């Protein structure tokens, strides 16, 4: 029996599973923080008046959540890269090298994205049309 990483898109599946774990950990971490905004009674030293003070007592909560979110995003992005490489293995094996990654154009230029993508896969192919018209990573 093949291991999951030996199947098509197996590495991408593993990365998505890991991202799901990080997302689940975020929920667990949030609910485990019972003192996040716990109220406490304080006395003003000059007037003697009592007041309730809410303090952020869980000092590690923000950094823990930030790291978990970053790990989840990294794993999702890695899943896209692995899925893209698996697709290219079938569409254009000669285009894969050590720098191959899921094509994204952060400038939002559809024409530039299409011309970059045409180098990797045929413009008339279903994957090309799917990426350009539905996924829209530009």
């Amino acid at each position: 029996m093949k291991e999951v990483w030996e199947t098509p898109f197996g590495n991408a599946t593993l990365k998505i599973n890991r991202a799901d774990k990080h997302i689940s950990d975020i929920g667990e971490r949030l609910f485990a923080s019972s003192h996040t905004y716990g109220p406490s009674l304080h006395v003003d030293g000059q007037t003697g008046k009592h007041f309730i003070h809410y303090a952020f007592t869980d000092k590690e909560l923000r950094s823990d959540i930030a790291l978990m979110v970053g790990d989840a995003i990294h794993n999702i992005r890695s899943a896209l890269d692995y899925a893209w490489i698996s697709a290219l293995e079938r569409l254009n094996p000669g285009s894969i090298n050590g720098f191959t990654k899921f094509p994204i154009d952060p400038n939002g230029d559809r024409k530039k994205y299409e011309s970059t993508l045409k180098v990797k896969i045929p413009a008339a192919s279903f994957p090309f049309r799917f990426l350009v018209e539905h996924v829209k990573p530009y």
Side-chain angles (χ1 to χ4, degrees):
M1 184 170 155
K2 288 184 176 182
E3 295 290 338
V4 67
W5 58 82
E6 296 173 317
T7 63
F9 306 103
N11 290 324
T13 301
L14 289 171
K15 286 294 190 177
I16 290 170
N17 291 344
R18 178 53 61 185
D20 285 343
K21 172 75 170 103
H22 288 303
I23 292 166
S24 173
D25 289 347
I26 291 168
E28 289 176 20
R29 179 64 177 93
L30 286 171
F31 290 116
S33 181
S34 61
H35 299 292
T36 303
Y37 291 103
S40 58
L41 183 63
H42 285 269
V43 178
D44 186 305
Q46 293 180 356
T47 66
K49 289 188 178 184
H50 292 82
F51 64 94
I52 295 177
H53 177 71
Y54 290 89
F56 190 72
T57 57
D58 189 345
K59 303 289 186 200
E60 290 82 32
L61 180 66
R62 286 184 240 182
S63 60
D64 288 351
I65 298 301
L67 290 170
M68 290 180 219
V69 168
D71 287 344
I73 290 169
H74 168 75
N75 279 284
I76 292 168
R77 176 59 203 255
S78 296
L80 283 172
D81 293 340
Y82 280 124
W84 179 244
I85 290 169
S86 292
L88 284 180
E89 285 173 344
R90 288 152 184 79
L91 296 168
N92 187 3
S95 67
I96 300 172
N97 61 39
F99 301 102
T100 302
K101 61 182 182 174
F102 184 79
I104 294 176
D105 182 355
N107 300 318
D109 186 341
R110 178 179 173 151
K111 295 293 183 198
K112 182 179 175 191
Y113 181 77
E114 288 179 7
S115 66
T116 302
L117 195 57
K118 285 178 188 174
V119 173
K120 298 283 187 185
I121 59 177
S125 68
F126 171 77
F128 183 93
R129 289 190 319 277
F130 180 73
L131 283 170
V132 171
E133 297 171 12
H134 298 286
V135 178
K136 300 180 183 178
Y138 48 84

